[in-house]
Amino acid sequence: MSTHGINGANANYDGNNKEKIKITLYDCSGEKGVLLLSQYSFYKNMTVDNENDYKIEKSFNKRGMEGIEAYDKNRQYSDISFLYNDRFGVNIKVYNMNRESVWESINNLKFDELLK
């Protein structure tokens, strides 16, 4: 995205038992970044609370993270999109990990370091 004037970063983690975490982060400040801000604001302002035998879709607001979580129970796949501190757009995709472990991993990330 830097070629379009938007700063961002990617991080990948491969763990035990085929666990994978892929994080994409965008800085939504500046003239070009504001284009992404509207997309992530949509996730922030959307209210979802659905659960069935196969999938969970929920809105959340935790530690400055406001967005949407989708979790496929059978595949143990999470797709989480949120706006952090009204500035950073974040996508997290997690494979082969139960939902509790996903949130434990996310809670260990130090997003507040982005603001320094």
Side-chain angles (χ1 to χ4, degrees):
M1 295 297 288
S2 63
T3 59
H4 299 290
I6 299 171
N7 293 318
N10 291 309
N12 295 309
Y13 168 80
D14 292 328
N16 302 328
N17 303 318
K18 298 182 181 179
E19 296 169 337
K20 290 185 179 191
I21 301 174
K22 296 182 177 192
I23 301 172
T24 305
L25 179 128
Y26 301 104
D27 187 347
C28 297
S29 66
E31 186 178 316
K32 304 279 181 153
V34 77
L35 300 172
L36 283 175
L37 185 62
S38 62
Q39 175 186 344
Y40 286 95
S41 291
F42 175 77
Y43 296 132
K44 172 185 171 178
N45 295 314
M46 194 172 161
T47 302
V48 178
D49 189 9
N50 299 315
E51 183 172 356
N52 60 37
D53 292 338
Y54 309 102
K55 192 171 189 177
I56 298 170
E57 291 179 303
K58 292 194 179 282
S59 303
F60 64 88
N61 184 345
K62 302 176 183 186
R63 294 182 31 235
M65 302 178 290
E66 298 177 86
I68 302 293
E69 164 197 19
Y71 180 73
D72 183 315
K73 296 177 182 180
N74 293 331
R75 294 178 27 220
Q76 289 192 316
Y77 169 74
S78 293
D79 188 352
I80 300 168
S81 297
F82 61 90
L83 184 64
Y84 178 73
N85 203 37
D86 288 325
R87 178 172 171 183
F88 297 98
V90 181
N91 294 100
I92 301 175
K93 296 183 185 311
V94 183
Y95 305 85
N96 301 310
M97 191 182 292
N98 67 52
R99 187 170 175 242
E100 293 78 24
S101 296
V102 169
W103 280 104
E104 184 178 311
S105 296
I106 291 171
N107 288 333
N108 286 321
L109 297 173
K110 298 178 182 176
F111 289 108
D112 56 326
E113 294 288 322
L114 295 169
L115 302 172
K116 292 183 178 181

